Amino acid sequence: AQSVSQHNHHVILSEAASLELGCNYSYGGTVNLFWYVQYPGQHLQLLLKYFSGDPLVKGIKGFEAEFIKSKFSFNLRKPSVQWSDTAEYFCAVNALGNEKLTFGTGTRLTIIP
Amino acid sequence: KAGVTQTPRYLIKTRGQQVTLSCSPISGHRSVSWYQQTPGQGLQFLFEYFSETQRNKGNFPGRFSGRQFSNSRSEMNVSTLELGDSALYLCASSSDLVTEAFFGQGTRLTVV
């Protein structure tokens, strides 16, 4: 069975600080990897995704993530955060050809102006 | 292009009652998945429907059921509601060409 671990439950940063949120997954086969964001009162939105190819993927709003297969990791990064990045971030995986997403428990990010 | 629409947005039900939630996927999307989101358990997969057939199922009791219609709209039913069923129920749709789920705003169910 798949599982996803997000080690940081709540991260507090000042504006302009750099961000890295950890995500590790457990699955023996080929996976697709996703980061979703949930802004307060809004629906889950896709930040970025990795299916294959270049392990460094760029998403919306300046976010990027790197897939490191040997570490089963897909960490999310942003060089300089903004107050508007305050939200909950979810890492998710699904097996190739399977729509079922397995989510991590989420990381709440609070940006202090 | 309209997004995923879930109705109603909020529901309050009493223990023992049943409830039906509705989801209209993005036009052209044939896969509809349902998730339960709670503070304690996070986002948990309930089931997925594709072309009116249940294709995947999570680890929820049989009180949770769903169906999909020929226009891809989906409904989720929970019978004999328990207090622990209080949650945000999210629907996601995706195209059969690209595995990328688009989520609705959810239905907030409160069981009292």
Side-chain angles (χ1 to χ4, degrees):
Chain A
Q2 298 156 221
S3 67
V4 179
S5 297
Q6 290 183 246
H7 314 296
N8 315 103
H9 297 295
H10 190 190
V11 172
I12 302 172
L13 293 171
S14 298
E15 272 192 311
S18 64
L19 169 72
E20 180 158 4
L21 301 181
C23 172
N24 286 89
Y25 69 94
S26 171
Y27 183 68
T30 304
V31 296
N32 300 313
L33 296 149
F34 307 84
W35 275 98
Y36 280 88
V37 60
Q38 192 171 33
Y39 297 104
Q42 294 190 29
H43 62 282
L44 273 169
Q45 299 172 45
L46 183 68
L47 265 182
L48 46 78
K49 61 192 178 192
Y50 174 79
F51 290 168
S52 63
D54 187 345
L56 183 63
V57 291
K58 294 190 186 299
I60 61 171
K61 303 187 181 187
F63 286 91
E64 64 178 33
E66 185 176 13
F67 171 51
I68 303 179
K69 192 174 180 180
S70 60
K71 294 184 178 179
F72 296 91
S73 70
F74 190 56
N75 293 353
L76 182 70
R77 299 195 293 247
K78 186 171 184 179
S80 175
V81 294
Q82 301 171 303
W83 177 78
S84 59
D85 293 325
T86 295
E88 188 144 19
Y89 293 79
F90 295 91
C91 181
V93 303
N94 65 7
L96 194 64
N98 191 325
E99 293 295 328
K100 173 189 170 181
L101 284 166
T102 299
F103 284 87
T105 50
T107 296
R108 186 154 62 100
L109 176 66
T110 302
I111 306 299
I112 302 168
Chain B
K1 202 175 193 182
V4 178
T5 305
Q6 291 187 247
T7 57
R9 290 291 310 279
Y10 303 92
L11 264 178
I12 300 175
K13 289 287 188 177
T14 306
R15 263 186 311 175
Q17 285 187 312
Q18 75 160 16
V19 67
T20 299
L21 313 182
S22 181
C23 172
S24 292
I26 290 172
S27 177
H29 286 189
R30 292 196 292 166
S31 169
V32 174
S33 298
W34 289 88
Y35 294 83
Q36 182 196 64
Q37 186 177 19
T38 59
Q41 300 295 318
L43 281 146
Q44 308 241 293
F45 174 79
L46 280 153
F47 29 65
E48 183 226 350
Y49 285 86
F50 181 83
S51 291
E52 301 179 66
T53 301
Q54 188 180 87
R55 193 161 67 170
N56 276 303
K57 190 177 188 306
N59 298 320
F60 278 80
R63 300 185 297 108
F64 292 80
S65 63
R67 60 178 176 168
Q68 187 179 33
F69 301 95
S70 57
N71 61 358
S72 293
R73 191 176 69 85
S74 177
E75 287 181 348
M76 189 192 114
N77 186 275
V78 188
S79 62
T80 321
L81 283 165
E82 300 176 0
L83 295 179
D85 297 333
S86 295
L88 181 66
Y89 289 89
L90 295 171
C91 169
S93 77
S94 60
S95 159
D96 51 344
L97 298 174
V98 178
T99 301
E100 179 180 329
F102 294 82
F103 284 82
Q105 294 219 284
T107 294
R108 169 86 51 196
L109 172 65
T110 303
V111 183
V112 298

